[in-house]
Amino acid sequence: MTHFDLASNTRFAVASSTPSSFSLRIGRREIFACRDTYVRRYRVNPVIECSAGIEPGHVEILLFRRWLLVLSKARG
């Protein structure tokens, strides 16, 4: 079952006013995608950058220095 939600969710600690964000739920997993607005103070790989998320069990993937994907378990 797939749930597609265009309303941004603040649990990923990104601005809820981001117009180009979406959340996709597939079974017990969730993917949140948005434009990255965070200014990083370190050098970022130009294609793909992976790091641990803010909460346990989250993985953040930065694509082309612009798009942030957050992979996590969906809440009940």
Short mmCIF file of all heavy atoms in Angstrom, two decimals, residues 5-23 32-38 66-70:
data_model
loop_
_atom_site.label_atom_id
_atom_site.label_comp_id
_atom_site.label_asym_id
_atom_site.label_seq_id
_atom_site.Cartn_x
_atom_site.Cartn_y
_atom_site.Cartn_z
N ASP A 5 1.57 11.87 0.39
CA ASP A 5 1.12 13.04 1.16
C ASP A 5 1.94 14.25 0.74
O ASP A 5 3.14 14.29 0.94
CB ASP A 5 1.30 12.76 2.65
CG ASP A 5 0.77 13.88 3.52
OD1 ASP A 5 0.03 14.73 3.01
OD2 ASP A 5 1.12 13.89 4.70
N LEU A 6 1.28 15.26 0.17
CA LEU A 6 1.98 16.47 -0.25
C LEU A 6 2.21 17.45 0.88
O LEU A 6 3.01 18.36 0.77
CB LEU A 6 1.21 17.17 -1.37
CG LEU A 6 1.24 16.45 -2.70
CD1 LEU A 6 0.36 17.17 -3.71
CD2 LEU A 6 2.65 16.34 -3.22
N ALA A 7 1.51 17.28 1.99
CA ALA A 7 1.70 18.18 3.13
C ALA A 7 3.01 17.82 3.83
O ALA A 7 3.26 16.67 4.14
CB ALA A 7 0.54 18.07 4.10
N SER A 8 3.82 18.80 4.06
CA SER A 8 5.10 18.59 4.71
C SER A 8 4.91 18.28 6.19
O SER A 8 4.00 18.78 6.83
CB SER A 8 5.96 19.84 4.55
OG SER A 8 7.14 19.70 5.26
N ASN A 9 5.79 17.47 6.74
CA ASN A 9 5.71 17.07 8.13
C ASN A 9 6.94 17.59 8.86
O ASN A 9 8.05 17.41 8.41
CB ASN A 9 5.66 15.54 8.19
CG ASN A 9 5.25 15.05 9.55
OD1 ASN A 9 5.25 15.79 10.51
ND2 ASN A 9 4.89 13.79 9.61
N THR A 10 6.76 18.23 10.01
CA THR A 10 7.89 18.84 10.70
C THR A 10 8.70 17.85 11.52
O THR A 10 9.68 18.23 12.13
CB THR A 10 7.39 19.95 11.64
OG1 THR A 10 6.45 19.40 12.55
CG2 THR A 10 6.78 21.08 10.86
N ARG A 11 8.35 16.59 11.54
CA ARG A 11 9.13 15.65 12.35
C ARG A 11 10.50 15.39 11.77
O ARG A 11 11.37 14.84 12.40
CB ARG A 11 8.36 14.36 12.55
CG ARG A 11 8.29 13.48 11.34
CD ARG A 11 7.49 12.26 11.67
NE ARG A 11 8.34 11.11 11.64
CZ ARG A 11 8.03 10.00 11.01
NH1 ARG A 11 6.89 9.88 10.42
NH2 ARG A 11 8.85 8.99 11.02
N PHE A 12 10.74 15.78 10.54
CA PHE A 12 12.05 15.62 9.93
C PHE A 12 12.92 16.85 10.12
O PHE A 12 13.97 16.96 9.53
CB PHE A 12 11.91 15.30 8.44
CG PHE A 12 11.26 13.97 8.20
CD1 PHE A 12 10.03 13.90 7.62
CD2 PHE A 12 11.91 12.81 8.56
CE1 PHE A 12 9.43 12.68 7.40
CE2 PHE A 12 11.32 11.59 8.35
CZ PHE A 12 10.07 11.52 7.76
N ALA A 13 12.48 17.81 10.90
CA ALA A 13 13.24 19.01 11.24
C ALA A 13 13.60 19.84 10.04
O ALA A 13 14.67 20.40 9.94
CB ALA A 13 14.49 18.64 12.04
N VAL A 14 12.69 19.93 9.09
CA VAL A 14 12.86 20.84 7.96
C VAL A 14 11.67 21.78 7.95
O VAL A 14 10.64 21.51 8.55
CB VAL A 14 12.95 20.09 6.61
CG1 VAL A 14 14.20 19.27 6.53
CG2 VAL A 14 11.74 19.23 6.38
N ALA A 15 11.83 22.88 7.28
CA ALA A 15 10.78 23.90 7.28
C ALA A 15 9.51 23.35 6.64
O ALA A 15 9.54 22.77 5.57
CB ALA A 15 11.26 25.12 6.52
N SER A 16 8.38 23.55 7.31
CA SER A 16 7.12 23.06 6.79
C SER A 16 6.61 23.93 5.65
O SER A 16 5.66 23.57 4.98
CB SER A 16 6.09 23.00 7.90
OG SER A 16 5.86 24.28 8.42
N SER A 17 7.24 25.07 5.44
CA SER A 17 6.82 25.96 4.36
C SER A 17 7.49 25.63 3.03
O SER A 17 7.29 26.34 2.06
CB SER A 17 7.12 27.40 4.74
OG SER A 17 8.51 27.57 4.90
N THR A 18 8.28 24.57 2.99
CA THR A 18 8.95 24.19 1.77
C THR A 18 7.92 23.72 0.75
O THR A 18 7.27 22.71 0.97
CB THR A 18 9.98 23.06 2.04
OG1 THR A 18 10.84 23.46 3.08
CG2 THR A 18 10.78 22.75 0.81
N PRO A 19 7.76 24.43 -0.36
CA PRO A 19 6.70 24.07 -1.31
C PRO A 19 7.00 22.82 -2.12
O PRO A 19 6.09 22.17 -2.60
CB PRO A 19 6.63 25.29 -2.22
CG PRO A 19 7.98 25.89 -2.14
CD PRO A 19 8.48 25.61 -0.76
N SER A 20 8.25 22.45 -2.27
CA SER A 20 8.61 21.32 -3.11
C SER A 20 9.01 20.11 -2.26
O SER A 20 10.08 19.56 -2.44
CB SER A 20 9.72 21.70 -4.07
OG SER A 20 10.82 22.18 -3.33
N SER A 21 8.16 19.72 -1.34
CA SER A 21 8.47 18.55 -0.53
C SER A 21 7.30 17.57 -0.58
O SER A 21 6.17 17.95 -0.82
CB SER A 21 8.73 18.96 0.91
OG SER A 21 7.57 19.49 1.49
N PHE A 22 7.63 16.29 -0.37
CA PHE A 22 6.57 15.28 -0.31
C PHE A 22 7.03 14.13 0.56
O PHE A 22 8.22 13.93 0.81
CB PHE A 22 6.17 14.80 -1.70
CG PHE A 22 7.25 14.05 -2.43
CD1 PHE A 22 7.36 12.68 -2.31
CD2 PHE A 22 8.15 14.71 -3.24
CE1 PHE A 22 8.35 11.98 -2.98
CE2 PHE A 22 9.14 14.03 -3.92
CZ PHE A 22 9.23 12.67 -3.79
N SER A 23 6.06 13.38 1.03
CA SER A 23 6.30 12.22 1.87
C SER A 23 5.63 11.02 1.21
O SER A 23 4.47 11.10 0.79
CB SER A 23 5.73 12.46 3.26
OG SER A 23 5.92 11.33 4.06
N PHE A 32 10.90 10.82 2.79
CA PHE A 32 10.56 12.24 2.78
C PHE A 32 11.58 12.93 1.89
O PHE A 32 12.78 12.79 2.09
CB PHE A 32 10.60 12.81 4.20
CG PHE A 32 10.29 14.28 4.25
CD1 PHE A 32 8.99 14.74 4.12
CD2 PHE A 32 11.30 15.20 4.41
CE1 PHE A 32 8.71 16.08 4.16
CE2 PHE A 32 11.04 16.55 4.46
CZ PHE A 32 9.73 17.01 4.34
N ALA A 33 11.12 13.68 0.90
CA ALA A 33 12.01 14.38 -0.02
C ALA A 33 11.68 15.87 -0.03
O ALA A 33 10.52 16.26 -0.01
CB ALA A 33 11.87 13.82 -1.43
N CYS A 34 12.74 16.70 -0.04
CA CYS A 34 12.54 18.15 -0.08
C CYS A 34 13.81 18.81 -0.62
O CYS A 34 14.85 18.19 -0.73
CB CYS A 34 12.21 18.69 1.31
SG CYS A 34 13.55 18.59 2.48
N ARG A 35 13.69 20.10 -0.92
CA ARG A 35 14.86 20.89 -1.28
C ARG A 35 15.66 21.13 -0.01
O ARG A 35 15.09 21.45 1.03
CB ARG A 35 14.45 22.23 -1.88
CG ARG A 35 13.74 22.17 -3.21
CD ARG A 35 14.67 21.88 -4.36
NE ARG A 35 15.71 22.84 -4.56
CZ ARG A 35 15.81 23.65 -5.59
NH1 ARG A 35 14.90 23.63 -6.51
NH2 ARG A 35 16.82 24.47 -5.69
N ASP A 36 16.96 21.00 -0.09
CA ASP A 36 17.80 21.18 1.08
C ASP A 36 18.08 22.67 1.29
O ASP A 36 18.59 23.34 0.40
CB ASP A 36 19.10 20.41 0.91
CG ASP A 36 19.94 20.44 2.15
OD1 ASP A 36 19.37 20.41 3.26
OD2 ASP A 36 21.18 20.50 2.03
N THR A 37 17.74 23.18 2.48
CA THR A 37 17.97 24.58 2.80
C THR A 37 19.07 24.76 3.83
O THR A 37 19.46 25.88 4.12
CB THR A 37 16.69 25.23 3.34
OG1 THR A 37 16.25 24.50 4.49
CG2 THR A 37 15.60 25.21 2.29
N TYR A 38 19.61 23.66 4.35
CA TYR A 38 20.64 23.71 5.37
C TYR A 38 21.98 24.11 4.76
O TYR A 38 22.40 23.57 3.74
CB TYR A 38 20.76 22.35 6.05
CG TYR A 38 21.75 22.30 7.17
CD1 TYR A 38 21.47 22.89 8.39
CD2 TYR A 38 22.96 21.65 7.02
CE1 TYR A 38 22.39 22.84 9.43
CE2 TYR A 38 23.88 21.60 8.05
CZ TYR A 38 23.58 22.20 9.25
OH TYR A 38 24.48 22.16 10.27
N ARG A 66 21.26 19.46 -3.67
CA ARG A 66 19.99 20.18 -3.67
C ARG A 66 18.85 19.44 -3.00
O ARG A 66 18.04 20.04 -2.33
CB ARG A 66 19.57 20.47 -5.12
CG ARG A 66 20.41 21.47 -5.81
CD ARG A 66 19.65 22.76 -5.84
NE ARG A 66 20.53 23.84 -6.19
CZ ARG A 66 20.43 24.56 -7.27
NH1 ARG A 66 19.48 24.30 -8.11
NH2 ARG A 66 21.28 25.53 -7.49
N TRP A 67 18.74 18.15 -3.24
CA TRP A 67 17.59 17.38 -2.78
C TRP A 67 17.97 16.51 -1.59
O TRP A 67 18.95 15.77 -1.63
CB TRP A 67 17.04 16.51 -3.91
CG TRP A 67 16.46 17.35 -4.97
CD1 TRP A 67 17.06 17.73 -6.14
CD2 TRP A 67 15.18 17.97 -4.96
NE1 TRP A 67 16.22 18.54 -6.85
CE2 TRP A 67 15.06 18.69 -6.15
CE3 TRP A 67 14.13 17.97 -4.05
CZ2 TRP A 67 13.91 19.42 -6.46
CZ3 TRP A 67 12.99 18.68 -4.37
CH2 TRP A 67 12.89 19.40 -5.56
N LEU A 68 17.17 16.59 -0.55
CA LEU A 68 17.40 15.80 0.66
C LEU A 68 16.34 14.72 0.75
O LEU A 68 15.14 15.00 0.72
CB LEU A 68 17.31 16.71 1.90
CG LEU A 68 17.54 16.02 3.24
CD1 LEU A 68 18.98 15.52 3.33
CD2 LEU A 68 17.24 16.98 4.37
N LEU A 69 16.79 13.46 0.83
CA LEU A 69 15.90 12.31 1.03
C LEU A 69 16.13 11.78 2.44
O LEU A 69 17.27 11.55 2.84
CB LEU A 69 16.20 11.20 0.02
CG LEU A 69 16.00 11.52 -1.44
CD1 LEU A 69 16.46 10.33 -2.28
CD2 LEU A 69 14.57 11.84 -1.73
N VAL A 70 15.05 11.60 3.18
CA VAL A 70 15.15 11.03 4.52
C VAL A 70 14.41 9.72 4.52
O VAL A 70 13.20 9.66 4.23
CB VAL A 70 14.53 11.99 5.59
CG1 VAL A 70 14.66 11.36 6.96
CG2 VAL A 70 15.20 13.34 5.55
#
